[in-house]
Amino acid sequence: MTTTAYRWNQTDAATAYDAAAPHIHPHYHTVQAAVLKALPPGATQVVDLGGGSGRLAELVLAERPDTRLTVVDPSQAFLTLAEGRLARFGPRVRFVCLRAQDAWRDAVGTADAIVSTSALHHLEPAEKNSVFAECHAALQTGGVFVNGDEYRPPSDAAYRDELERWGEHMDSALAIGAIPPTFGPVLDRWRERNLDGFGGPRSSGDDCHETVEEQTARLYGAGFRAVETDWRESLWALLVARR
């Protein structure tokens, strides 16, 4: 998948998602607050992997004045939004237009912490393994990888129920105008892939959800010495992996 083919590499789509994101995800602000809380006090070199329009990066930079942060994302449209949002932080922030599964470590260097929210569930299993290994290699000894993301329950029935509830949440937000009308077709495609096509094959870019236990095993397999689930609710959880 090239960055030009990436569905969020369109200005209109990126702008609509940026406006809709806090209303799409029922626990959006809770997840971001949990990420901030999980960052060690001494983490001054931070990478936001799949950082999109810079909403999480803004919180990190505002709360931690000694921190320098690199936003890595494959969408130039998202990064343009992030550049505007984060302009006030000047040289403390930089931007790298690469996918999480690309060799971003060469452009970023070492880090004290790597954060990510609602991004890596779009990767196939082999891609997750590669990204987790890259995160482990990029971190200083004692560094942390903090991933607030979507995770499925082990039971297919429970998984389907959670997806249905999420779909209802998004439909309600769209109906009251909290989600822009321009985002409606995106939600239609989400329903087609995840509900109408429930149980069907998944490929990179789809919602390739795994259980917390599967993700934890992948992180240990990448070399992390400890993995903890700091928070969990419905389809969302925060995993903290320590190098």
Side-chain angles (χ1 to χ4, degrees), residues 46-108:
V46 178
V47 175
D48 187 356
L49 196 56
S53 60
R55 284 182 173 271
L56 176 63
E58 182 178 31
L59 295 178
V60 174
L61 290 164
E63 183 170 296
R64 294 168 170 260
D66 295 331
T67 292
R68 291 179 176 269
L69 187 146
T70 302
V71 180
V72 178
D73 198 273
S75 167
Q76 186 55 58
F78 267 143
L79 291 180
T80 297
L81 291 174
E83 288 168 1
R85 173 169 280 127
L86 306 176
R88 73 183 190 274
F89 299 108
R92 292 175 54 206
V93 60
R94 57 179 177 152
F95 307 90
V96 174
C97 190
L98 287 171
R99 304 180 305 169
Q101 60 269 48
D102 290 332
W104 49 267
R105 183 161 53 100
D106 294 339
V108 169

